[in-house]
Amino acid sequence: MDLYSGKINKLIEELSALPGIGAKSAGRLAFYLINEPEEHVKRLTTAILDAKANIHYCSECFTLTDDEICPICRNTGRDHSVIMVVENTRDLAAYEKTGRFEGVYHVLHGAISPMLGIGPNDIKLKELMKRLAGDVKEVIIATNSSLEGETTAMYISKLIKPTGIKVTRIASGVPVGGDLENIDEVTLLRALEGRTEI
Ligand code: ZN
């Protein structure tokens, strides 16, 4: 026996498919949305559709942006010769929040994982190598300290070494497997300042 109408069940099902939303939260959200004024629900669905339709990769660093080139890459006040490599846009945001990194970023959109069948060609690695043809002094590898993050760091380091460009790795102290976005700013800054050449 279904507790709710088919349409409510469908809404709960879709919401509970979102990351971090369990069945209970999905139910709460579903009833919240149903009771909200139609205007609000429309604003929400429009924001989702609009983001989906208009957000794409920055043509330089591959972060998600509304523009052809993101505001960080466009900023001539930043040091474009220092590139910090992160796994995703959320990690970029975590470092950006510290307000202390003056270089630019490169977003890989994933990490190498032989177990999941994700190889070097499945992340934005070729794109990173292309950027190194420019005037680059240092590549800081800030992938997560998970097995995949470490594998990726090693792989990138081996790839860049022959170019003579300095490659550094953020200091450990970032919890293993931890999403960078969940780590406090002091820890991130310490990891960044304590980076070592690899
Ligand atoms: Zn960019």
Side-chain angles (χ1 to χ4, degrees), residues 58-63 69-74 105:
C58 166
S59 60
E60 280 185 32
C61 73
F62 294 88
T63 194
I69 294 178
C70 77
I72 296 171
C73 290
R74 273 205 313 265
Y105 298 90

Side-chain angles (χ1 to χ4, degrees), residues 10 39 42 45 51 58 61 68 75 80 82 87 96 99 115 117 124 135 144 146 151 165 176 179 185 195-196:
K10 177 71 187 150
E39 263 317 294
K42 268 191 187 144
T45 51
C58 166
C61 73
E68 166 69 18
N75 186 342
H80 286 247
V82 178
E87 289 184 22
E96 208 43 24
M115 273 218 330
K124 302 284 179 201
D135 180 23
N144 286 353
S146 60
T151 306
I165 295 168
V176 173
D179 266 2
E185 289 164 32
R195 68 186 185 270
T196 48

Side-chain angles (χ1 to χ4, degrees), residues 21-47:
I21 308 280
K24 247 191 195 164
S25 306
R28 254 199 310 271
L29 282 171
F31 285 102
Y32 166 79
L33 289 169
I34 289 164
N35 289 316
E36 276 298 282
E38 196 170 334
E39 263 317 294
H40 178 205
V41 177
K42 268 191 187 144
R43 275 206 310 277
L44 176 65
T45 51
T46 307

